[in-house]
Amino acid sequence: MFAVVRQESAFSRDAISPAGAMGLMQLMPKTARSVAKRLKKPKPARRDLLNPKTNIQLGTGYLRQVMEQLGEHQVLATAAYNAGPHRVKKWLPDEATDADLWIENIPFRETRKYTQRVMAYSVIYERRLSRTPVRLSQKLQPILPKKQLVAARIAQTGRPPTASADNAPL
């Protein structure tokens, strides 16, 4: 989460992007409303997204949602936080691919650089938070084809990846 905040807003609580994303975790108002509904929280007004507590609560809720949708795969969830889960699902390979190669082939330069930076920052913040850092190579698990990703998720949890109101499951 710290790595996402670092990349999204550089810890600026009042950041607003040209596209309209707001706050520390740069949430789009529509996404924030959807997540709030899913979490059974009050519908946030635009100004609420500049409140760090609200923004982080909804931003981490959204990050958890994309993690669930994408089989708990950190690389896929990171790319999806930036480009949207619907795009990441389209980018899934036909056969298992090394994560670093998959990242290098993300068709959007912004999402490719974003994913690289967030993954690198995640190791830095684990260290800064006095946690045992997980080697980046361990975080870069292979990117599986859609069918294998679903099967792996079922084997891991006993249930398929979840869907959100506007995104179908894998």
Side-chain angles (χ1 to χ4, degrees):
M1 191 270 305
F2 281 102
V4 170
V5 172
R6 168 62 179 88
Q7 185 58 34
E8 289 288 348
S9 68
F11 294 95
S12 176
R13 65 188 332 177
D14 59 353
I16 301 175
S17 78
M22 302 177 71
L24 289 168
M25 295 190 76
Q26 288 293 278
L27 289 168
M28 294 297 287
K30 182 179 177 183
T31 301
R33 287 190 301 271
S34 173
V35 172
K37 183 177 180 178
R38 184 172 183 252
L39 296 175
K40 297 178 173 56
K41 300 287 182 190
K43 180 178 170 180
R46 288 179 61 85
R47 71 181 175 283
D48 295 334
L49 299 182
L50 298 177
N51 176 306
K53 182 179 177 181
T54 301
N55 191 279
I56 289 171
Q57 183 179 53
L58 295 175
T60 56
Y62 181 60
L63 189 56
R64 164 77 359 234
Q65 180 179 318
V66 295
M67 283 284 287
E68 289 172 2
Q69 288 177 18
L70 295 164
E72 302 296 323
H73 198 293
Q74 191 172 358
V75 170
L76 296 176
T78 299
Y81 194 90
N82 181 261
H86 62 289
R87 287 193 180 102
V88 170
K89 290 173 189 176
K90 289 179 185 177
W91 299 339
L92 290 174
D94 292 331
E95 56 187 56
T97 302
D98 290 339
D100 57 341
L101 294 176
W102 184 84
I103 292 168
E104 288 299 323
N105 286 293
I106 292 174
F108 297 166
R109 182 179 187 277
E110 176 188 338
T111 302
R112 183 172 51 254
K113 296 296 183 189
Y114 176 91
T115 303
Q116 291 167 339
R117 289 180 185 128
V118 170
M119 296 308 298
Y121 290 141
S122 71
V123 176
I124 292 166
Y125 283 105
E126 285 170 353
R127 181 83 151 168
R128 285 190 171 184
L129 294 169
S130 299
R131 296 183 182 149
T132 303
V134 176
R135 296 181 64 85
L136 193 52
S137 61
Q138 289 178 287
K139 293 177 185 247
L140 297 178
Q141 296 300 310
I143 307 296
L144 301 175
K146 190 180 294 189
K147 287 180 184 177
Q148 284 182 290
L149 195 61
V150 170
R153 173 67 175 158
I154 292 169
Q156 181 183 38
T157 65
R159 57 188 171 85
T162 59
S164 70
D166 45 20
N167 291 303
L170 289 170

